[in-house]
Amino acid sequence: MSIEKLILDPKFMDLKEKQCLEVLSFLLENNYEFGVICEASNVIFNPILPDEILSKINSVTLFMLAGYSFESAFIENHELHFEAGFGPNNFESSVTIPIESIIQIVLEQSVLFMNVSAGEKRHHINKETNEQAIEHSMNVFASNPDNSKFFHK
């Protein structure tokens, strides 16, 4: 079996989501502040962030859950919810991240959990598209200069 088939296998995708939920639950229940790296296109902000803030959020972004954001965090309906302040004026918004969109969970600048299936569609994709998606997923995280601390030289 190839890695491409594994990543798109619905049973494997369900397994990774379940593991992600379990890791998040453990961290929340045991008071470990953490960060999540996710696909920003699937994140819901309520109220919606002003354009000048929203335009600065990368397609793959890191949200650190510390202080008030951590204290307000909870999991419901396969989604991570928390409150956060954005921009120089701390524009407050409720953030909702679907668990399937979480690529990594980080703790103290170390990768604690990684979901190689994050964001993949749950249907058959032709081989060329699938290979492009996998390459894109790997390159997006590596291309963000803020993520260089996760790579050992």
Side-chain angles (χ1 to χ4, degrees):
M1 178 181 275
S2 68
I3 187 76
E4 294 87 7
K5 281 186 174 181
L6 178 64
I7 288 172
L8 295 173
D9 184 302
K11 289 180 182 177
F12 182 76
M13 294 170 86
D14 289 344
L15 173 66
K16 294 306 288 182
E17 282 185 43
K18 181 180 176 187
Q19 290 173 338
C20 186
L21 280 168
E22 290 175 353
V23 171
L24 290 170
S25 294
F26 179 87
L27 295 172
L28 291 170
E29 290 168 11
N30 292 283
N31 296 312
Y32 286 99
E33 294 180 340
F34 60 93
V36 292
I37 297 171
C38 64
E39 295 180 14
S41 63
N42 296 327
V43 176
I44 298 168
F45 299 97
N46 186 19
I48 296 173
L49 299 178
D51 287 338
E52 62 270 11
I53 296 173
L54 200 54
S55 66
K56 293 180 182 174
I57 294 178
N58 295 322
S59 61
V60 174
T61 194
L62 169 67
F63 291 97
M64 291 303 300
L65 279 77
Y68 178 68
S69 291
F70 177 81
E71 292 169 11
S72 68
F74 64 96
I75 298 168
E76 184 177 78
N77 298 326
H78 283 269
E79 297 172 327
L80 175 62
H81 301 263
F82 58 94
E83 303 286 326
F86 296 90
N89 296 325
N90 259 345
F91 182 88
E92 190 171 327
S93 185
S94 295
V95 180
T96 302
I97 304 172
I99 298 301
E100 66 187 29
S101 295
I102 296 175
I103 299 166
Q104 291 186 350
I105 301 172
V106 294
L107 182 69
E108 297 177 1
Q109 298 186 358
S110 294
V111 176
L112 188 61
F113 171 83
M114 183 170 188
N115 184 357
V116 295
S117 295
E120 295 294 340
K121 304 294 182 211
R122 292 181 180 263
H123 58 78
H124 179 71
I125 300 176
N126 72 47
K127 185 175 180 177
E128 182 179 324
T129 303
N130 185 33
E131 288 172 357
Q132 290 170 348
I134 291 168
E135 184 177 341
H136 175 71
S137 294
M138 295 172 142
N139 289 334
V140 166
F141 182 75
S143 68
N144 184 337
D146 293 334
N147 295 331
S148 64
K149 61 188 168 204
F150 297 110
F151 298 99
H152 300 287
K153 295 181 181 183

